[in-house]
């Protein structure tokens, strides 16, 4: 036992935060890898004119993630964040390999790959729900925005990694290229599994299960001041005590009770808007977007995903620099406004100047990606991790993640169908309008969370619910 305790004391806060957020690499790699694999897969399986089938192959992971996020969120309340992250890594490894060895059976191959990628999506969705919750529960309030932003840095680093892998493998024979691109996703999953084996459980989860001694030990790894540890433990215990006194038994209906409704709508709404704004249409289909704009073959445009990936990584680092200097709401509204204009202006310019340079739309997409990278991309997961009260955090994070993946799935599924039936500029203009609606949602429905403890945020939501209950006409 003493040996175990000494081993645990050697866990540094840097190690905890690094591997606590490393699940984002899996999330990001699988978002990005199909971008490069798809042109080769289309050619190998002769799917160039099968827009709906291409949409399903691309979006199958997101469809599975809808259920993975909700399931993992619920199970993490019972078994803990750490154990569920480990399980997600195992599932990710298995189905990444099965994707890479898809049998060549004609049209049946496509359906096999769709099913395998749906099952892979369970792990991707789980990671998207578990990592923000874990990181927010480990990070101190004053640095929660920056440390939770590590999740976004990991996601975009995973995307950039997949783009680079796609580019390096593009000269292989077509069948080998896409198979290796998909199968190599098992490598970061193995690294995540080995790293998380040494991670401690969340102190908030431990206290909820009555293990105060272990919760204090975990906080000692990541808080330097003993007084701060005592204060945080007392605050978490007080929240847990209030929940026990109310003899609260949470269910899915609990999320929309008067006490929690305001915060749940805010968190789930932001998560949904992030995807319906259309970012993943760029990330999944940028080679095909450039092909449609310029006429160049998609397989020769694999440098563009790398450009997008570099912008995303730089933007995530910019976010970590400004995260705790600006209010969350301000960044979301400014970012959403610029993103909306970046989508709408190409349609306006094309309407006024029909002979517009086709690369103009790609330039505006880069502007969109730049602002998305340090506003909506990281802040969505920061808010999802910090806005939900402890009693419902697992379920609510899972619900937000599921709505996020519903948006991602629908965008991935319908984008190739939409661009086959209307100009690209019109499709992006529709996404631009959704961006502006997202700004209005943040302005009217989302509270400010920067600098507040998780318990203070919960009190905000409770007080808002009481005001609404006493003033129903408002």
């Amino acid at each position: 036992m003493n040996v175990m305790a000494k081993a645990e004391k050697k866990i540094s806060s840097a190690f905890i935060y690094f591997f606590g957020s490393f699940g984002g690499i899996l999330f990001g790699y699988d978002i990005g890898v199909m971008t490069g694999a798809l042109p080769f897969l289309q050619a190998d399986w002769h799917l160039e004119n099968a827009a709906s089938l291409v949409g399903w192959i691309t979006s199958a992971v997101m469809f599975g993630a809808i259920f993975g996020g909700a399931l993992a969120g619920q199970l993490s309340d019972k078994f803990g964040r750490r154990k569920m992250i480990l399980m997600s890594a195992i599932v990710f490894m298995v189905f990444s390999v099965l994707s890479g060895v898809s049998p060549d059976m004609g049209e049946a191959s496509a359906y096999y790959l769709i099913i395998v990628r749906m099952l892979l999506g369970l792990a991707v969705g789980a990671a998207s729900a578990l990592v923000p919750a874990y990181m927010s529960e480990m990070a101190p309030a004053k640095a929660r925005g920056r440390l939770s932003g590590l999740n976004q840095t990991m996601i975009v680093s995973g995307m950039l990694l997949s783009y680079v892998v796609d580019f390096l493998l593009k000269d292989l024979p077509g069948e080998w290229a896409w198979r290796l691109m998909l199968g190599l996703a098992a490598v970061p999953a193995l690294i995540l599994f080995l790293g998380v084996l040494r991670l401690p459980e969340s102190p908030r989860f431990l206290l909820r299960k009555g293990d105060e001694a272990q919760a204090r030990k975990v906080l000692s790894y990541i808080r330097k001041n003993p007084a701060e540890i005592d204060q945080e433990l007392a605050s978490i215990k007080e929240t847990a005590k209030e929940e026990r006194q109310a003899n609260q038994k949470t269910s899915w209906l609990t999320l929309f009770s008067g006490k929690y409704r305001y915060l749940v709508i805010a968190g789930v709404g932001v998560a949904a808007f992030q995807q319906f704004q259309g970012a993943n249409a760029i990330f999944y289909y940028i080679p095909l977007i450039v092909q449609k704009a310029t006429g160049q073959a998609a397989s020769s445009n694999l440098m563009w995903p790398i450009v997008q990936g570099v912008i995303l990584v730089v933007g995530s680092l910019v976010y970590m620099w400004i995260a705790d200097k600006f209010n969350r709401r301000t960044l979301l509204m400014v970012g959403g406004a610029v993103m909306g204009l970046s989508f709408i202006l190409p349609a306006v310019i094309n309407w006024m100047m029909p002979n517009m340079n086709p690369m103009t739309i790609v330039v505006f997409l880069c502007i969109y990606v730049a602002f998305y990278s340090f506003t909506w991309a990281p802040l969505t997961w920061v808010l999802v991790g910090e806005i939900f009260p402890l009693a419902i955090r697992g379920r609510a994070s899972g619900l937000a993640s599921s709505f996020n993946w519903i948006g991602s799935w629908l965008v991935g599924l319908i984008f190739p169908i939409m661009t086959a039936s209307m100009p690209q500029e019109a499709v992006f203009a529709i996404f631009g309008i959704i961006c502006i609606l997202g700004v209005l949602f943040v302005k009217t429905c989302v509270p400010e969370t920067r600098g507040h403890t998780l318990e203070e945020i919960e009190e905000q939501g409770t007080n808002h619910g009481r005001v609404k209950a006493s003033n129903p006409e408002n």
Side-chain angles (χ1 to χ4, degrees):
M1 187 71 178
N2 290 335
V3 174
M4 178 73 72
K6 288 180 181 178
E8 288 183 346
K9 288 181 180 178
K10 293 180 181 178
I11 303 174
S12 69
S13 59
F15 183 93
I16 290 172
Y17 293 136
F18 179 81
F19 278 103
S21 61
F22 194 84
I25 291 278
L26 277 61
F27 183 180
Y29 188 96
D30 209 85
I31 287 176
V33 69
M34 189 54 75
T35 304
L38 192 57
F40 298 100
L41 178 61
Q42 281 181 302
D44 189 28
W45 286 356
H46 309 293
L47 301 175
E48 290 86 347
N49 298 315
S52 60
L53 204 55
V54 168
W56 268 107
I57 290 173
T58 303
S59 64
V61 165
M62 289 81 83
F63 185 80
I66 295 169
F67 306 99
L71 183 63
Q74 188 170 356
L75 291 176
S76 73
D77 283 344
K78 183 175 182 180
F79 299 109
R81 313 327 184 201
R82 175 182 170 275
K83 287 181 181 177
M84 292 310 301
I85 293 175
L86 283 170
M87 183 60 65
S88 300
I90 294 172
V91 173
F92 198 98
M93 275 188 282
V94 170
F95 289 103
S96 293
V97 172
L98 290 178
S99 296
V101 297
S102 298
D104 195 346
M105 305 179 296
E107 189 172 315
S109 301
Y111 294 108
Y112 166 90
L113 187 55
I114 289 169
I115 292 170
V116 168
R117 283 177 57 76
M118 282 183 183
L119 295 171
L120 175 62
L122 294 175
V124 175
S128 72
L130 295 168
V131 170
Y134 182 84
M135 289 298 290
S136 69
E137 292 179 0
M138 300 298 279
K142 63 183 179 182
R144 195 170 57 242
R146 185 173 69 256
L147 288 173
S148 296
L150 275 175
N151 178 47
Q152 178 59 22
T153 300
M154 290 294 187
I155 292 173
V156 296
S157 296
M159 292 173 68
L160 179 57
L161 175 64
S162 72
Y163 296 150
V164 171
V165 169
D166 289 349
F167 185 79
L168 293 176
L169 298 178
K170 68 182 177 63
D171 293 325
L172 291 176
E175 181 178 359
W176 281 102
W178 70 263
R179 290 182 184 280
L180 278 173
M181 290 171 185
L182 299 183
L184 285 173
V187 175
L190 176 61
I191 295 171
L192 173 67
F193 180 84
L194 295 175
V196 174
L197 282 176
R198 292 197 64 225
L199 285 187
E201 184 51 85
S202 154
R204 283 175 171 80
F205 175 81
L206 290 169
L207 268 181
R208 190 178 183 187
K209 295 301 180 182
D211 194 347
E212 182 176 345
Q214 187 63 23
R216 179 180 293 275
K217 181 181 291 186
V218 173
L219 281 174
S220 71
Y221 303 152
I222 52 181
R223 306 286 189 269
K224 295 181 179 179
N225 187 342
E228 184 182 0
I229 294 173
D230 291 337
Q231 182 179 359
E232 188 162 350
L233 281 172
S235 180
I236 299 170
K237 287 166 66 177
E238 181 61 30
T239 301
K241 179 181 177 182
E242 291 174 2
E243 291 165 4
R244 285 195 298 271
Q245 287 175 342
N247 194 27
Q248 184 177 41
K249 294 185 178 180
T250 62
S251 67
W252 288 108
L253 291 177
T254 307
L255 303 186
F256 296 98
S257 66
K259 180 179 180 182
Y260 299 123
R261 186 187 304 119
Y262 171 59
L263 294 178
V264 170
I265 289 174
V268 172
V270 168
F273 266 110
Q274 186 207 42
Q275 289 302 332
F276 282 109
Q277 289 168 338
N280 280 348
I282 304 173
F283 304 144
Y284 298 139
Y285 297 111
I286 185 64
L288 300 179
I289 292 170
V290 177
Q291 174 181 284
K292 189 161 185 177
T294 65
Q296 299 173 354
S299 57
S300 66
N301 286 315
L302 295 188
M303 183 57 72
W304 277 105
I306 295 178
V307 172
Q308 304 287 347
V310 170
I311 293 173
L312 285 168
V313 171
V314 172
S316 74
L317 298 176
V318 169
Y319 169 74
M320 291 179 69
W321 177 50
I322 66 173
D324 296 304
K325 298 178 181 178
F326 296 93
N327 286 344
R328 317 278 198 244
R329 282 163 42 91
T330 300
L331 289 174
L332 286 172
M333 288 189 287
V334 170
V338 175
M339 288 155 53
L341 289 174
S342 298
F343 274 160
I344 294 170
L345 284 177
V348 174
I349 294 172
N350 189 58
W351 174 66
M352 297 176 65
M353 302 170 58
N355 295 322
M356 175 185 77
N357 187 319
M359 287 302 291
T360 301
I361 190 171
V362 180
V363 172
F364 275 102
L365 293 184
C366 289
I367 296 172
Y368 173 99
V369 170
F371 276 82
Y372 174 81
S373 68
F374 66 87
T375 58
W376 279 83
L379 279 168
T380 294
W381 301 111
V382 173
L383 279 168
V384 165
E386 69 187 4
I387 201 170
F388 299 128
L390 177 62
I392 61 167
R393 185 165 298 136
R395 289 180 188 270
S397 295
L399 184 65
S401 175
S402 292
F403 268 83
N404 186 268
W405 284 109
I406 288 172
S408 182
W409 167 59
L410 287 174
V411 169
L413 178 64
I414 68 175
F415 181 79
I417 300 172
M418 292 173 70
T419 54
S421 59
M422 66 178 76
Q424 284 192 142
E425 294 83 357
V427 175
F428 285 120
I430 294 170
F431 288 134
I433 293 170
I434 296 174
C435 290
I436 301 303
L437 293 176
V439 172
L440 296 176
F441 177 81
V442 171
K443 183 175 177 61
T444 57
C445 300
V446 178
E448 184 54 57
T449 58
R450 179 173 73 101
H452 296 287
T453 66
L454 300 183
E455 287 66 40
E456 288 169 347
I457 295 168
E458 177 172 350
E459 187 177 354
Q460 250 189 107
T462 301
N463 291 339
H464 190 277
R466 288 173 183 157
V467 170
K468 285 289 184 182
S470 60
N471 299 283
E473 70 278 5
N474 294 333

